[in-house]
Amino acid sequence: GRPLARAVIYLWARDLRDTNDYLRLINDVRGVLETASIEIYPTGSVFIYWEQYVRLLEFFWRAAGSCLGLVLVVSVCMLASVRVAFVVAVVILTVFVQVLGLLCLAGVQFSAIPAVSMIMSIGQG
């Protein structure tokens, strides 16, 4: 018959306590699977739920930067002044930093929900 081209593996894990444990497991499994001679797609509750955290910070900062850039562009168009639009963007950035600092002081663990709230704070600033 034909050689196997790809496979799906189901993974169950236990004794993982926090987000870092899950992320380490996902990254280790991905590292091992990259060296396989066939395409292997891991699945299971670990990958279904915790996969979102692997690149959450990267997507968060990209979205925050995009939103601030759009605020600047829209402000320039609406206010017809680059200087005033820059002031608006700086004020919104200040609100963003304050909300981020408040979440850190309150001990809120960074996840998808606080990330969305932070991005929304840019739009409400």
Side-chain angles (χ1 to χ4, degrees):
R2 292 187 337 208
L4 189 63
R6 60 182 66 95
V8 175
I9 60 168
Y10 294 93
L11 180 70
W12 288 270
R14 60 180 210 196
D15 297 329
L16 300 174
R17 306 253 187 265
D18 61 9
T19 302
N20 290 330
D21 292 338
Y22 287 97
L23 295 181
R24 192 172 19 264
L25 173 68
I26 289 170
N27 288 328
D28 289 349
V29 168
R30 295 257 184 238
V32 168
L33 296 181
E34 285 178 0
T35 62
S37 60
I38 64 170
E39 196 176 316
I40 301 175
Y41 180 76
T43 188
S45 62
V46 171
F47 289 92
I48 291 170
Y49 179 75
W50 293 95
E51 187 79 31
Q52 66 179 317
Y53 293 99
V54 172
R55 296 179 60 198
L56 180 63
L57 278 175
E58 175 188 343
F59 290 134
F60 170 73
W61 289 116
R62 186 181 301 163
S66 298
C67 288
L68 283 171
L70 285 171
V71 163
L72 186 62
V73 169
V74 169
S75 296
V76 166
C77 294
M78 298 292 286
L79 301 172
S81 171
V82 174
R83 189 176 303 161
V84 174
F86 183 74
V87 170
V88 168
V90 168
V91 168
I92 291 176
L93 177 62
T94 304
V95 170
F96 178 76
V97 170
Q98 289 174 349
V99 171
L100 184 60
L102 183 62
L103 288 175
C104 290
L105 284 176
V108 175
Q109 186 175 5
F110 191 72
S111 66
I113 293 172
V116 169
S117 299
M118 289 296 302
I119 299 302
M120 287 174 50
S121 74
I122 294 172
Q124 295 174 355

